Amino acid sequence: MHNVSSLKDPAVLCYARPESCRSRRNVYVDVALEEIGNEEATYKVVPCTVPTESFSLRDYVDESETLNKLVQLGVALWKLEQRPNVGTMLLKLDFETDVVPRLVFLKRIGVENSGLAYILSRNPFILKEDVDHLQSRVNYLVSKKFSPETVASMVTRAPYLLNFSVKRIDNRLAFYQSQLRLNPSTTRDIVARLPRLLCGSLEPVKENLKVCQIELGFKENEIQHIVTRVPNVLSMNKQKLTQTFHYIHNTMKVPHHLIVKFPQVFNSRLLRIQERHLFLAYLGKAQYAPDQPNYVALDRFVSLPNEAFCAELASATLDDFIAFQKTM
């Protein structure tokens, strides 16, 4: 364990309080990637003993150059050490030969400094991937007309994306294009907005598509429209999907075609929908039919902040709404 003096080390403090390193992160990225100078080259790093059982990576930050530099980059070691075998894997890595080439690669394809820590905190296994393999997967995405900027964004938001083979990524794109009967451009747009669709299992996606058609009663072209507007419907928790639909359709009496027109409702929390509908119903303003007076459009119903919702849709004050919520 660290003694009192060792806890004054910035890297250790950063590990103990992850938020404290945010302001220094961009500086640390450049420092971590710079070449070793003559003075540093004379410093002999004593290899740390690889633990054989449960441990805290904090105990090895001072001894391991790799862990120390990862902390400086802002990587959340406290998250990684909770995952089986990851701590041991990191301790076996050499920073210059294993980590730096992957960091340089990620920066070269356009990943921002702030994205490096995010990626490594969630997918440390990218440090074991061959750089040539990583590049081939980027080349494939570019060949499918994803712009370099889009690829960088996708890699940042879906850290495991480049761990998958070109064949698997190609199969995923083909699945969505075929299953939803989309053209290549629309398929690209969907996965660019929700790149984790290329990473996860297809079984939940198939299940949600089946639920939308069989249980919720949407037509094929309606499902296509919903998914292109709200891709998250494909990977959404099945219970949330069905509960949201049944409340809007059966309780609020909103027909299918209006839900299709405003599919953003599926992104909203069910409690938010319930509270707002009940408040409008209490005031006699729960009118969702476009051809009726005081019509409330579903997109504004779910998207407006509470104060604007009260003033513009309920003709009430925020205090009125808060008081009503307390009665629920």
Side-chain angles (χ1 to χ4, degrees):
M1 295 296 290
H2 294 289
N3 56 34
V4 175
S5 60
S6 69
L7 287 177
K8 296 179 182 179
D9 184 274
V12 178
L13 290 175
C14 186
Y15 180 93
R17 298 192 300 275
E19 66 275 8
S20 67
C21 65
R22 290 174 185 162
S23 61
R24 309 182 198 136
R25 192 164 297 163
N26 289 342
V27 175
Y28 283 154
V29 168
D30 295 330
V31 171
L33 290 177
E34 70 182 3
E35 295 183 3
I36 298 178
N38 292 332
E39 182 178 348
E40 186 178 354
T42 62
Y43 176 74
K44 182 178 180 181
V45 178
V46 179
C48 56
T49 304
V50 177
T52 58
E53 56 186 25
S54 179
F55 68 105
S56 171
L57 286 175
R58 176 177 176 176
D59 299 335
Y60 296 85
V61 169
D62 284 343
E63 303 171 24
S64 167
E65 179 192 18
T66 297
L67 294 186
N68 193 282
K69 291 291 180 65
L70 289 177
V71 168
Q72 291 178 16
L73 285 168
V75 176
L77 296 185
W78 61 275
K79 286 185 179 180
L80 296 180
E81 70 184 13
Q82 300 172 28
R83 301 168 63 177
N85 304 317
V86 170
T88 301
M89 180 195 78
L90 292 176
L91 284 170
K92 290 181 178 180
L93 296 178
D94 179 85
F95 186 76
E96 293 300 321
T97 60
D98 297 320
V99 181
V100 170
R102 278 79 185 171
L103 294 178
V104 171
F105 165 79
L106 290 171
K107 292 196 71 173
R108 189 174 69 245
I109 67 171
V111 174
E112 299 290 339
N113 286 347
S114 59
L116 296 176
Y118 182 87
I119 292 171
L120 296 183
S121 295
R122 287 155 182 79
N123 176 24
F125 304 107
I126 197 171
L127 297 175
K128 300 289 287 184
E129 289 286 325
D130 186 278
V131 173
D132 289 337
H133 293 166
L134 296 174
Q135 185 64 58
S136 69
R137 293 153 196 170
V138 170
N139 293 343
Y140 168 79
L141 291 170
V142 173
S143 75
K144 289 298 179 179
K145 299 185 178 180
F146 290 94
S147 71
E149 295 77 16
T150 298
V151 172
S153 174
M154 292 170 64
V155 170
T156 302
R157 290 180 291 120
Y160 276 94
L161 178 58
L162 295 186
N163 285 53
F164 298 110
S165 67
V166 167
K167 181 178 180 180
R168 173 171 168 143
I169 297 173
D170 184 67
N171 287 339
R172 287 292 191 274
L173 287 172
F175 169 82
Y176 291 114
Q177 184 170 338
S178 172
Q179 191 75 26
L180 297 168
R181 301 182 186 278
L182 304 172
N183 60 43
S185 177
T186 305
T187 305
R188 281 196 303 274
D189 179 67
I190 288 176
V191 298
R193 289 158 59 196
L194 195 65
R196 58 188 170 85
L197 289 175
L198 297 177
C199 304
S201 169
L202 289 178
E203 291 310 310
V205 175
K206 293 176 181 178
E207 181 68 17
N208 278 4
L209 289 173
K210 187 185 300 182
V211 166
C212 285
Q213 185 170 20
I214 298 175
E215 185 175 338
L216 308 188
F218 289 109
K219 300 174 183 177
E220 185 177 286
N221 65 316
E222 292 176 327
I223 296 173
Q224 184 187 72
H225 179 80
I226 290 171
V227 168
T228 55
R229 296 284 296 278
V230 186
N232 192 44
V233 166
L234 291 170
S235 58
M236 187 177 295
N237 176 275
K238 177 185 172 182
Q239 185 177 25
K240 170 178 167 50
L241 178 63
T242 56
Q243 287 182 342
T244 300
F245 170 82
H246 286 306
Y247 190 85
I248 294 171
H249 183 62
N250 298 323
T251 301
M252 296 171 58
K253 306 302 181 184
V254 178
H256 281 81
H257 74 273
L258 284 181
I259 298 177
V260 172
K261 186 177 180 180
F262 303 113
Q264 302 94 322
V265 293
F266 288 113
N267 276 338
S268 185
R269 292 182 298 110
L270 180 57
L271 179 60
R272 180 186 182 91
I273 294 172
Q274 291 171 329
E275 289 177 338
R276 292 190 170 194
H277 167 67
L278 292 173
F279 186 54
L280 291 178
Y282 171 74
L283 298 173
K285 296 179 179 294
Q287 180 54 260
Y288 310 108
D291 58 349
Q292 295 298 315
N294 301 317
Y295 160 62
V296 175
L298 287 183
D299 57 340
R300 302 185 71 220
F301 172 81
V302 296
S303 65
L304 287 176
N306 279 340
E307 192 167 357
F309 161 75
C310 292
E312 299 175 27
L313 302 185
S315 299
T317 66
L318 181 58
D319 288 339
D320 293 333
F321 185 42
I322 293 174
F324 177 80
Q325 288 175 308
K326 293 178 180 178
T327 67
M328 295 180 63

